[in-house]
Amino acid sequence: MNTWFKVYRDLFESDLWNDVTTFRLFILLIGKASHQDGVKVAGVELKKGQYLRSYRKLADDLSYKEGRGKKQYSIRTIHKAINKLISDGRVSKEETEQGTLFTVVNYAKYQDLTETNKKTGNETENELETFGKRSVNNNKNYKNYSIKESNKRDSRKQVYDDTSIYFQLAVFFFEQIKKNNPDHKEPNFQTWSNDIRKMIELDKRTEEQVQYLMKWVQQDEFEMTNVLSPAKLRKRFDQLVMKVKRDRPPSNVTPIDKKKYNYGF
């Protein structure tokens, strides 16, 4: 059923909120009640806000999952909850041959759109108009939403141990820097590892490319003082690759000893 109903905010501030069974029952009655006059159920013509149902079926409607099984309120519990709603002036009832006819008192307070409009003017029309615009723009916004969600997931906090390829490359880069400046301050290897991960996972750089550039920049007279972190290497990656291709790389750039660093490639 592709319909909807409102829930009055005062319910969350009432004593019903602390009575789970009665609250669930009341929400069920509001949601199932006829939203207009003249609806016939089992030969009974309902008025707006009325619902025809037996206590036994209400107990079944309110059944819930517990563990691997399904539990159900007793008929006595349903009677107790109904009586509370009646005493609170929220519901009235009438027995018929087809079942109990429940009436949500002041149903218009909960469900009539005219009540909403009295308080907020054209709020309902504006909401529908906004929803229409939102639907039209849904496809356009989906891409931006996906990007935001992707960035959100990527910003998750990670911890890299010393067996991680990202951590090992971070240590390797620091060792290359120390060859030029033995007193260089030790960095935050977790931050460096995360930047290296982004280069490989997000930017689709290969481990060999990252590794080569780390050594190359620290053997280039100009770049050795400019690229001193994986973040800077990532930012200038394409520019550095073009520079490597344009210029003859330093003759002493030699392959990495894979066994020494155990990079697994």
Side-chain angles (χ1 to χ4, degrees):
M1 184 180 294
N2 191 25
T3 58
W4 59 273
F5 68 94
K6 298 188 299 181
V7 177
Y8 201 59
R9 292 184 186 276
D10 282 1
L11 287 178
F12 302 112
E13 299 174 3
S14 70
D15 59 346
L16 275 185
W17 180 246
N18 298 315
D19 185 341
V20 177
T21 304
T22 308
F23 181 82
R24 291 187 68 214
L25 177 59
F26 188 49
I27 292 296
L28 177 71
L29 293 176
I30 294 176
K32 294 291 187 179
S34 174
H35 64 282
Q36 60 185 9
D37 294 334
V39 175
K40 286 190 176 182
V41 177
V44 178
E45 187 172 303
L46 304 182
K47 294 180 180 180
K48 183 187 295 185
Q50 292 187 327
Y51 183 49
L52 185 68
R53 199 68 164 171
S54 69
Y55 281 78
R56 179 180 59 79
K57 288 185 177 179
L58 283 176
D60 186 59
D61 293 336
L62 294 171
S63 61
Y64 57 95
K65 186 176 181 182
E66 185 172 276
R68 295 184 177 181
K70 188 177 181 182
K71 297 199 70 173
Q72 196 174 77
Y73 296 120
S74 66
I75 301 299
R76 181 182 177 183
T77 299
I78 299 298
H79 270 284
K80 184 178 178 181
I82 288 292
N83 289 337
K84 177 174 176 54
L85 291 174
I86 292 174
S87 64
D88 288 347
R90 298 181 186 277
V91 170
S92 64
K93 69 173 183 176
E94 178 185 347
E95 300 298 335
T96 72
E97 293 182 359
Q98 290 74 23
T100 304
L101 182 63
F102 299 98
T103 301
V104 177
V105 179
N106 294 325
Y107 178 80
K109 172 183 177 181
Y110 301 103
Q111 298 303 308
D112 272 7
L113 291 177
T114 54
E115 290 295 312
T116 301
N117 287 336
K118 285 179 183 178
K119 293 181 179 181
T120 61
N122 295 322
E123 179 181 293
T124 303
E125 292 182 8
N126 291 338
E127 286 180 353
L128 291 174
E129 181 181 356
T130 301
F131 177 79
K133 291 178 180 178
R134 199 161 51 236
S135 298
V136 170
N137 293 327
N138 195 40
N139 289 335
K140 182 175 69 175
N141 293 335
Y142 179 76
K143 183 176 181 181
N144 291 334
Y145 170 80
S146 299
I147 292 173
K148 288 178 181 178
E149 286 300 301
S150 177
N151 289 338
K152 184 178 179 181
R153 288 193 298 271
D154 184 64
S155 65
R156 63 195 183 281
K157 186 174 180 60
Q158 297 194 26
V159 178
Y160 305 90
D161 59 37
D162 57 9
T163 63
S164 166
I165 180 62
Y166 311 124
F167 190 93
Q168 291 181 10
L169 283 171
V171 173
F172 171 76
F173 193 24
F174 181 56
E175 290 179 352
Q176 300 307 302
I177 294 172
K178 285 183 67 178
K179 289 180 181 180
N180 293 318
N181 179 15
D183 297 324
H184 192 85
K185 182 180 178 181
E186 184 172 302
N188 183 326
F189 286 112
Q190 291 296 317
T191 300
W192 275 29
S193 298
N194 198 50
D195 288 331
I196 293 169
R197 178 189 64 81
K198 290 178 182 179
M199 273 191 279
I200 294 173
E201 290 188 2
L202 303 182
D203 302 342
K204 306 303 180 185
R205 313 299 188 184
T206 68
E207 295 164 6
E208 291 83 356
Q209 288 174 331
V210 172
Q211 190 180 52
Y212 182 88
L213 276 187
M214 284 178 172
K215 189 165 187 177
W216 187 89
V217 294
Q218 287 304 306
Q219 295 181 353
D220 181 88
E221 292 182 0
F222 177 77
E223 300 298 352
M224 67 171 60
T225 59
N226 292 317
V227 183
L228 295 171
S229 70
K232 191 63 176 289
L233 186 73
R234 184 188 181 203
K235 183 178 181 180
R236 297 191 52 215
F237 202 96
D238 289 328
Q239 181 184 3
L240 292 169
V241 168
M242 293 185 67
K243 187 173 182 179
V244 169
K245 291 180 178 180
R246 185 193 64 193
D247 302 335
R248 184 176 181 177
S251 59
N252 58 344
V253 174
T254 55
I256 306 301
D257 186 341
K258 299 177 184 177
K259 289 184 179 180
K260 178 180 178 181
Y261 295 101
N262 191 26
Y263 289 156
F265 51 76

